[in-house]
Short mmCIF file of all heavy atoms in Angstrom, two decimals:
data_model
loop_
_atom_site.label_atom_id
_atom_site.label_comp_id
_atom_site.label_asym_id
_atom_site.label_seq_id
_atom_site.Cartn_x
_atom_site.Cartn_y
_atom_site.Cartn_z
N THR A 1061 49.44 85.37 -10.04
CA THR A 1061 48.34 85.15 -10.89
C THR A 1061 47.47 86.42 -11.11
O THR A 1061 47.02 87.01 -10.15
CB THR A 1061 47.48 84.00 -10.36
OG1 THR A 1061 48.25 82.81 -10.22
CG2 THR A 1061 46.30 83.69 -11.23
N LYS A 1062 47.30 86.77 -12.39
CA LYS A 1062 46.62 88.03 -12.69
C LYS A 1062 45.10 87.79 -12.84
O LYS A 1062 44.31 88.72 -12.63
CB LYS A 1062 47.13 88.71 -13.95
CG LYS A 1062 48.65 89.03 -13.89
CD LYS A 1062 48.84 90.36 -13.07
CE LYS A 1062 50.35 90.70 -13.03
NZ LYS A 1062 51.07 89.95 -12.01
N LYS A 1063 44.71 86.62 -13.27
CA LYS A 1063 43.28 86.42 -13.58
C LYS A 1063 42.79 85.35 -12.60
O LYS A 1063 43.18 85.19 -11.50
CB LYS A 1063 43.13 85.98 -15.04
CG LYS A 1063 43.35 87.11 -16.00
CD LYS A 1063 42.86 86.82 -17.35
CE LYS A 1063 42.87 88.00 -18.35
NZ LYS A 1063 42.41 87.61 -19.62
N LYS A 1064 41.80 84.57 -13.11
CA LYS A 1064 41.21 83.49 -12.22
C LYS A 1064 42.31 82.48 -11.89
O LYS A 1064 43.14 82.09 -12.74
CB LYS A 1064 40.04 82.82 -12.84
CG LYS A 1064 38.84 83.79 -13.08
CD LYS A 1064 37.57 83.01 -13.31
CE LYS A 1064 37.48 82.28 -14.61
NZ LYS A 1064 37.40 83.14 -15.76
N LEU A 1065 42.25 81.93 -10.67
CA LEU A 1065 43.11 80.81 -10.25
C LEU A 1065 42.31 79.62 -9.96
O LEU A 1065 41.46 79.63 -9.11
CB LEU A 1065 43.99 81.27 -9.06
CG LEU A 1065 44.86 80.13 -8.39
CD1 LEU A 1065 45.94 79.61 -9.46
CD2 LEU A 1065 45.63 80.64 -7.26
N PHE A 1066 42.54 78.55 -10.77
CA PHE A 1066 41.85 77.25 -10.51
C PHE A 1066 42.84 76.40 -9.73
O PHE A 1066 43.96 76.15 -10.24
CB PHE A 1066 41.52 76.56 -11.84
CG PHE A 1066 40.34 77.23 -12.51
CD1 PHE A 1066 40.59 78.38 -13.36
CD2 PHE A 1066 39.04 76.78 -12.41
CE1 PHE A 1066 39.50 79.03 -14.01
CE2 PHE A 1066 38.00 77.36 -13.00
CZ PHE A 1066 38.25 78.52 -13.85
N PHE A 1067 42.51 75.99 -8.52
CA PHE A 1067 43.37 75.22 -7.65
C PHE A 1067 42.81 73.81 -7.46
O PHE A 1067 41.73 73.64 -7.03
CB PHE A 1067 43.46 75.92 -6.29
CG PHE A 1067 44.51 75.27 -5.34
CD1 PHE A 1067 45.74 75.81 -5.20
CD2 PHE A 1067 44.13 74.15 -4.64
CE1 PHE A 1067 46.68 75.20 -4.30
CE2 PHE A 1067 45.01 73.57 -3.75
CZ PHE A 1067 46.36 74.10 -3.64
N SER A 1068 43.62 72.84 -7.93
CA SER A 1068 43.13 71.45 -7.80
C SER A 1068 44.07 70.60 -7.03
O SER A 1068 45.30 70.62 -7.21
CB SER A 1068 42.93 70.86 -9.21
OG SER A 1068 42.23 69.64 -9.19
N CYS A 1069 43.53 69.84 -6.03
CA CYS A 1069 44.36 68.87 -5.26
C CYS A 1069 43.47 67.69 -4.93
O CYS A 1069 42.30 67.74 -5.24
CB CYS A 1069 44.92 69.53 -4.01
SG CYS A 1069 43.68 70.03 -2.79
N PHE A 1070 44.06 66.65 -4.30
CA PHE A 1070 43.23 65.50 -3.93
C PHE A 1070 42.20 66.00 -2.89
O PHE A 1070 42.51 66.76 -2.01
CB PHE A 1070 44.08 64.39 -3.34
CG PHE A 1070 45.05 63.80 -4.32
CD1 PHE A 1070 46.44 63.86 -4.05
CD2 PHE A 1070 44.63 63.18 -5.43
CE1 PHE A 1070 47.35 63.34 -4.95
CE2 PHE A 1070 45.50 62.65 -6.33
CZ PHE A 1070 46.90 62.71 -6.07
N SER A 1071 40.98 65.55 -2.99
CA SER A 1071 39.94 66.04 -2.14
C SER A 1071 40.17 65.67 -0.64
O SER A 1071 39.69 66.34 0.25
CB SER A 1071 38.61 65.49 -2.54
OG SER A 1071 38.56 64.09 -2.50
N SER A 1072 41.05 64.62 -0.42
CA SER A 1072 41.33 64.24 0.96
C SER A 1072 42.48 65.03 1.55
O SER A 1072 42.78 64.87 2.73
CB SER A 1072 41.60 62.75 1.02
OG SER A 1072 42.70 62.42 0.15
N SER A 1073 43.21 65.86 0.75
CA SER A 1073 44.37 66.60 1.24
C SER A 1073 43.90 67.83 2.06
O SER A 1073 43.99 68.99 1.56
CB SER A 1073 45.27 67.04 0.05
OG SER A 1073 45.75 65.95 -0.66
N ILE A 1074 43.42 67.59 3.21
CA ILE A 1074 42.82 68.68 3.99
C ILE A 1074 43.90 69.78 4.30
O ILE A 1074 43.59 70.99 4.27
CB ILE A 1074 42.23 68.13 5.35
CG1 ILE A 1074 41.23 67.01 5.05
CG2 ILE A 1074 41.60 69.24 6.14
CD1 ILE A 1074 40.06 67.41 4.18
N HIS A 1075 45.15 69.31 4.57
CA HIS A 1075 46.15 70.36 4.81
C HIS A 1075 46.37 71.28 3.66
O HIS A 1075 46.51 72.48 3.83
CB HIS A 1075 47.53 69.62 5.07
CG HIS A 1075 47.59 68.75 6.35
ND1 HIS A 1075 47.13 69.21 7.54
CD2 HIS A 1075 48.07 67.48 6.48
CE1 HIS A 1075 47.34 68.27 8.45
NE2 HIS A 1075 47.86 67.22 7.88
N ARG A 1076 46.39 70.67 2.44
CA ARG A 1076 46.59 71.50 1.22
C ARG A 1076 45.42 72.41 1.00
O ARG A 1076 45.62 73.57 0.56
CB ARG A 1076 46.74 70.53 0.02
CG ARG A 1076 47.42 71.11 -1.19
CD ARG A 1076 48.91 71.31 -1.09
NE ARG A 1076 49.61 70.23 -0.48
CZ ARG A 1076 49.96 69.08 -1.13
NH1 ARG A 1076 49.77 68.97 -2.44
NH2 ARG A 1076 50.66 68.09 -0.51
N ILE A 1077 44.21 71.93 1.30
CA ILE A 1077 43.02 72.74 1.12
C ILE A 1077 43.13 73.97 2.13
O ILE A 1077 42.81 75.08 1.74
CB ILE A 1077 41.71 71.93 1.35
CG1 ILE A 1077 41.55 70.85 0.27
CG2 ILE A 1077 40.50 72.81 1.43
CD1 ILE A 1077 40.51 69.78 0.54
N ARG A 1078 43.55 73.62 3.28
CA ARG A 1078 43.69 74.65 4.37
C ARG A 1078 44.64 75.76 3.88
O ARG A 1078 44.35 76.96 3.98
CB ARG A 1078 44.14 74.00 5.61
CG ARG A 1078 44.32 74.97 6.77
CD ARG A 1078 44.84 74.18 7.99
NE ARG A 1078 45.15 75.06 9.07
CZ ARG A 1078 44.83 74.77 10.32
NH1 ARG A 1078 44.12 73.69 10.60
NH2 ARG A 1078 45.09 75.64 11.30
N VAL A 1079 45.84 75.29 3.40
CA VAL A 1079 46.89 76.27 2.92
C VAL A 1079 46.32 77.12 1.78
O VAL A 1079 46.48 78.36 1.79
CB VAL A 1079 48.11 75.51 2.52
CG1 VAL A 1079 49.13 76.48 1.75
CG2 VAL A 1079 48.84 74.94 3.72
N ALA A 1080 45.66 76.51 0.85
CA ALA A 1080 45.11 77.21 -0.29
C ALA A 1080 44.09 78.30 0.15
O ALA A 1080 44.06 79.43 -0.35
CB ALA A 1080 44.45 76.23 -1.30
N MET A 1081 43.22 77.90 1.08
CA MET A 1081 42.21 78.87 1.52
C MET A 1081 42.81 80.01 2.28
O MET A 1081 42.42 81.17 2.19
CB MET A 1081 41.19 78.13 2.42
CG MET A 1081 40.29 77.21 1.53
SD MET A 1081 38.83 76.69 2.40
CE MET A 1081 37.90 75.84 1.09
N GLU A 1082 43.84 79.69 3.16
CA GLU A 1082 44.53 80.78 3.90
C GLU A 1082 45.21 81.76 2.86
O GLU A 1082 45.21 82.99 3.07
CB GLU A 1082 45.64 80.16 4.78
CG GLU A 1082 44.97 79.55 6.04
CD GLU A 1082 45.96 78.75 6.88
OE1 GLU A 1082 47.15 78.70 6.54
OE2 GLU A 1082 45.56 78.24 7.89
N LEU A 1083 45.85 81.22 1.79
CA LEU A 1083 46.48 82.02 0.86
C LEU A 1083 45.50 82.90 0.00
O LEU A 1083 45.71 84.03 -0.31
CB LEU A 1083 47.36 81.21 -0.12
CG LEU A 1083 48.59 80.60 0.50
CD1 LEU A 1083 49.30 79.64 -0.40
CD2 LEU A 1083 49.57 81.70 0.99
N ALA A 1084 44.31 82.25 -0.31
CA ALA A 1084 43.27 83.02 -1.03
C ALA A 1084 42.86 84.21 -0.23
O ALA A 1084 42.71 85.37 -0.69
CB ALA A 1084 42.13 82.07 -1.32
N HIS A 1085 42.66 83.97 1.09
CA HIS A 1085 42.20 85.04 1.98
C HIS A 1085 43.28 86.16 1.96
O HIS A 1085 43.04 87.35 1.90
CB HIS A 1085 41.94 84.52 3.37
CG HIS A 1085 41.46 85.51 4.33
ND1 HIS A 1085 40.34 86.25 4.10
CD2 HIS A 1085 41.91 85.92 5.58
CE1 HIS A 1085 40.09 87.11 5.13
NE2 HIS A 1085 41.12 86.89 6.02
N LYS A 1086 44.56 85.71 2.13
CA LYS A 1086 45.71 86.65 2.23
C LYS A 1086 45.78 87.56 0.95
O LYS A 1086 46.10 88.73 1.02
CB LYS A 1086 46.98 85.92 2.37
CG LYS A 1086 48.26 86.75 2.31
CD LYS A 1086 49.52 85.85 2.41
CE LYS A 1086 50.76 86.70 2.14
NZ LYS A 1086 52.01 85.81 2.12
N HIS A 1087 45.48 86.93 -0.21
CA HIS A 1087 45.58 87.70 -1.45
C HIS A 1087 44.31 88.24 -1.96
O HIS A 1087 44.12 88.63 -3.13
CB HIS A 1087 46.26 86.69 -2.55
CG HIS A 1087 47.66 86.43 -2.26
ND1 HIS A 1087 48.69 87.23 -2.56
CD2 HIS A 1087 48.24 85.30 -1.67
CE1 HIS A 1087 49.85 86.71 -2.22
NE2 HIS A 1087 49.54 85.49 -1.65
N GLY A 1088 43.29 88.30 -1.04
CA GLY A 1088 42.02 88.99 -1.35
C GLY A 1088 41.21 88.27 -2.38
O GLY A 1088 40.48 88.94 -3.13
N ARG A 1089 41.23 86.95 -2.43
CA ARG A 1089 40.46 86.20 -3.38
C ARG A 1089 39.33 85.48 -2.65
O ARG A 1089 39.54 84.92 -1.55
CB ARG A 1089 41.25 85.14 -4.09
CG ARG A 1089 42.25 85.75 -5.16
CD ARG A 1089 43.07 84.69 -5.83
NE ARG A 1089 44.08 85.20 -6.79
CZ ARG A 1089 43.88 85.36 -8.09
NH1 ARG A 1089 42.71 84.95 -8.61
NH2 ARG A 1089 44.76 85.88 -8.82
N LYS A 1090 38.12 85.51 -3.16
CA LYS A 1090 37.01 84.65 -2.68
C LYS A 1090 37.18 83.23 -3.19
O LYS A 1090 37.84 83.02 -4.23
CB LYS A 1090 35.65 85.19 -3.19
CG LYS A 1090 35.33 86.60 -2.81
CD LYS A 1090 34.93 86.68 -1.37
CE LYS A 1090 34.32 88.00 -1.02
NZ LYS A 1090 34.28 88.24 0.45
N VAL A 1091 36.66 82.28 -2.47
CA VAL A 1091 36.86 80.87 -2.87
C VAL A 1091 35.49 80.15 -3.25
O VAL A 1091 34.57 80.28 -2.42
CB VAL A 1091 37.52 80.06 -1.73
CG1 VAL A 1091 37.69 78.57 -2.07
CG2 VAL A 1091 38.97 80.60 -1.38
N ALA A 1092 35.53 79.62 -4.42
CA ALA A 1092 34.35 78.77 -4.79
C ALA A 1092 34.81 77.32 -4.88
O ALA A 1092 35.90 77.10 -5.40
CB ALA A 1092 33.85 79.26 -6.19
N ILE A 1093 33.94 76.44 -4.36
CA ILE A 1093 34.36 75.00 -4.35
C ILE A 1093 33.52 74.29 -5.33
O ILE A 1093 32.30 74.38 -5.30
CB ILE A 1093 34.20 74.43 -2.91
CG1 ILE A 1093 35.11 75.17 -1.91
CG2 ILE A 1093 34.53 72.93 -2.93
CD1 ILE A 1093 34.79 74.91 -0.49
N ILE A 1094 34.16 73.59 -6.27
CA ILE A 1094 33.47 72.86 -7.29
C ILE A 1094 33.91 71.39 -7.35
O ILE A 1094 35.08 71.12 -7.43
CB ILE A 1094 33.64 73.52 -8.72
CG1 ILE A 1094 33.00 74.88 -8.72
CG2 ILE A 1094 33.15 72.70 -9.85
CD1 ILE A 1094 33.20 75.69 -9.98
N GLY A 1095 32.93 70.52 -7.27
CA GLY A 1095 33.34 69.07 -7.27
C GLY A 1095 32.75 68.45 -5.96
O GLY A 1095 32.93 68.87 -4.89
N ARG A 1096 32.01 67.30 -6.17
CA ARG A 1096 31.33 66.71 -5.03
C ARG A 1096 32.23 66.26 -3.92
O ARG A 1096 32.06 66.48 -2.80
CB ARG A 1096 30.47 65.50 -5.56
CG ARG A 1096 29.47 64.98 -4.59
CD ARG A 1096 28.52 64.04 -5.20
NE ARG A 1096 29.20 62.80 -5.63
CZ ARG A 1096 29.01 61.54 -5.06
NH1 ARG A 1096 28.04 61.51 -4.17
NH2 ARG A 1096 29.62 60.57 -5.39
N SER A 1097 33.38 65.57 -4.36
CA SER A 1097 34.31 65.03 -3.33
C SER A 1097 34.96 66.17 -2.53
O SER A 1097 35.13 66.09 -1.32
CB SER A 1097 35.36 64.17 -3.98
OG SER A 1097 35.99 64.91 -4.98
N LEU A 1098 35.35 67.31 -3.23
CA LEU A 1098 35.97 68.42 -2.51
C LEU A 1098 34.97 69.12 -1.60
O LEU A 1098 35.30 69.47 -0.43
CB LEU A 1098 36.35 69.47 -3.54
CG LEU A 1098 37.85 69.56 -3.88
CD1 LEU A 1098 38.10 70.70 -4.83
CD2 LEU A 1098 38.68 69.81 -2.60
N ASP A 1099 33.72 69.23 -2.08
CA ASP A 1099 32.68 69.84 -1.27
C ASP A 1099 32.45 69.04 0.00
O ASP A 1099 32.40 69.61 1.10
CB ASP A 1099 31.42 69.73 -2.10
CG ASP A 1099 30.61 71.07 -2.04
OD1 ASP A 1099 31.09 71.94 -1.36
OD2 ASP A 1099 29.53 71.17 -2.64
N ASN A 1100 32.41 67.75 -0.15
CA ASN A 1100 32.19 66.82 0.97
C ASN A 1100 33.33 66.92 1.94
O ASN A 1100 33.05 67.01 3.16
CB ASN A 1100 32.10 65.43 0.32
CG ASN A 1100 31.62 64.41 1.42
OD1 ASN A 1100 31.01 64.69 2.38
ND2 ASN A 1100 32.09 63.13 1.18
N SER A 1101 34.60 66.92 1.50
CA SER A 1101 35.69 66.91 2.34
C SER A 1101 35.82 68.22 3.14
O SER A 1101 36.09 68.24 4.33
CB SER A 1101 37.03 66.72 1.56
OG SER A 1101 37.17 65.41 1.21
N THR A 1102 35.61 69.34 2.44
CA THR A 1102 35.75 70.61 3.14
C THR A 1102 34.62 70.81 4.17
O THR A 1102 34.81 71.33 5.29
CB THR A 1102 35.62 71.86 2.13
OG1 THR A 1102 34.56 71.62 1.23
CG2 THR A 1102 36.92 71.99 1.39
N GLU A 1103 33.45 70.23 3.88
CA GLU A 1103 32.31 70.29 4.84
C GLU A 1103 32.65 69.52 6.14
O GLU A 1103 32.54 70.01 7.27
CB GLU A 1103 31.06 69.71 4.22
CG GLU A 1103 29.84 70.15 4.94
CD GLU A 1103 28.54 69.67 4.09
OE1 GLU A 1103 28.48 69.93 2.90
OE2 GLU A 1103 27.73 69.06 4.73
N ILE A 1104 33.19 68.25 5.93
CA ILE A 1104 33.59 67.42 7.09
C ILE A 1104 34.73 68.13 7.84
O ILE A 1104 34.67 68.20 9.06
CB ILE A 1104 34.02 66.02 6.60
CG1 ILE A 1104 32.83 65.21 6.02
CG2 ILE A 1104 34.67 65.25 7.75
CD1 ILE A 1104 33.25 63.95 5.37
N ALA A 1105 35.73 68.65 7.14
CA ALA A 1105 36.82 69.33 7.77
C ALA A 1105 36.40 70.54 8.60
O ALA A 1105 36.90 70.79 9.65
CB ALA A 1105 37.90 69.70 6.77
N GLN A 1106 35.41 71.27 8.14
CA GLN A 1106 34.87 72.45 8.83
C GLN A 1106 34.14 71.97 10.08
O GLN A 1106 34.29 72.47 11.23
CB GLN A 1106 33.95 73.30 7.98
CG GLN A 1106 34.66 74.28 7.10
CD GLN A 1106 33.70 75.12 6.31
OE1 GLN A 1106 33.30 74.70 5.23
NE2 GLN A 1106 33.27 76.20 6.79
N ASP A 1107 33.31 70.97 9.85
CA ASP A 1107 32.50 70.41 11.03
C ASP A 1107 33.41 70.01 12.16
O ASP A 1107 33.10 70.19 13.31
CB ASP A 1107 31.59 69.26 10.56
CG ASP A 1107 30.43 69.69 9.73
OD1 ASP A 1107 30.24 70.93 9.69
OD2 ASP A 1107 29.78 68.84 9.12
N LEU A 1108 34.52 69.33 11.81
CA LEU A 1108 35.42 68.75 12.85
C LEU A 1108 36.53 69.67 13.27
O LEU A 1108 37.49 69.29 14.00
CB LEU A 1108 36.01 67.44 12.29
CG LEU A 1108 34.91 66.35 11.95
CD1 LEU A 1108 35.64 65.05 11.54
CD2 LEU A 1108 34.01 66.09 13.09
N GLY A 1109 36.48 70.94 12.77
CA GLY A 1109 37.38 71.93 13.24
C GLY A 1109 38.82 71.97 12.57
O GLY A 1109 39.78 72.55 13.04
N TYR A 1110 38.92 71.21 11.41
CA TYR A 1110 40.23 71.22 10.68
C TYR A 1110 40.37 72.46 9.82
O TYR A 1110 41.41 72.78 9.34
CB TYR A 1110 40.46 69.92 9.95
CG TYR A 1110 40.69 68.75 10.79
CD1 TYR A 1110 39.69 67.95 11.29
CD2 TYR A 1110 42.01 68.54 11.26
CE1 TYR A 1110 40.01 66.95 12.17
CE2 TYR A 1110 42.33 67.48 12.04
CZ TYR A 1110 41.31 66.70 12.53
OH TYR A 1110 41.59 65.66 13.39
N LEU A 1111 39.22 73.05 9.47
CA LEU A 1111 39.24 74.29 8.69
C LEU A 1111 38.44 75.34 9.40
O LEU A 1111 37.31 75.16 9.75
CB LEU A 1111 38.54 74.05 7.31
CG LEU A 1111 39.25 73.21 6.26
CD1 LEU A 1111 38.38 73.09 4.96
CD2 LEU A 1111 40.57 73.91 5.81
N ASP A 1112 39.14 76.51 9.64
CA ASP A 1112 38.42 77.59 10.35
C ASP A 1112 38.46 78.73 9.36
O ASP A 1112 39.44 79.38 9.20
CB ASP A 1112 39.15 77.92 11.65
CG ASP A 1112 38.42 79.03 12.41
OD1 ASP A 1112 37.24 79.23 12.14
OD2 ASP A 1112 39.03 79.65 13.32
N LEU A 1113 37.35 78.94 8.63
CA LEU A 1113 37.29 79.87 7.50
C LEU A 1113 36.79 81.22 7.89
O LEU A 1113 35.79 81.36 8.56
CB LEU A 1113 36.57 79.30 6.34
CG LEU A 1113 36.99 77.87 5.89
CD1 LEU A 1113 36.12 77.43 4.76
CD2 LEU A 1113 38.43 77.88 5.47
N PRO A 1114 37.43 82.28 7.43
CA PRO A 1114 36.90 83.65 7.69
C PRO A 1114 35.55 83.85 7.07
O PRO A 1114 35.21 83.26 6.07
CB PRO A 1114 37.93 84.59 7.01
CG PRO A 1114 39.11 83.79 6.70
CD PRO A 1114 38.65 82.27 6.61
#
Side-chain angles (χ1 to χ4, degrees):
T1061 300
K1062 299 282 181 281
K1063 290 194 170 179
K1064 295 199 290 292
L1065 174 60
F1066 289 83
F1067 185 98
S1068 192
C1069 65
F1070 296 120
S1071 61
S1072 58
S1073 300
I1074 305 301
H1075 294 313
R1076 197 75 44 84
I1077 293 169
R1078 178 182 176 136
V1079 168
M1081 290 195 172
E1082 286 170 359
L1083 289 173
H1085 184 55
K1086 175 183 169 183
H1087 292 279
R1089 289 178 182 264
K1090 300 283 191 196
V1091 176
I1093 299 166
I1094 293 179
R1096 195 169 68 112
S1097 56
L1098 255 182
D1099 223 2
N1100 187 28
S1101 281
T1102 45
E1103 200 174 306
I1104 292 171
Q1106 273 182 276
D1107 287 349
L1108 301 183
Y1110 287 92
L1111 284 177
D1112 185 14
L1113 305 179

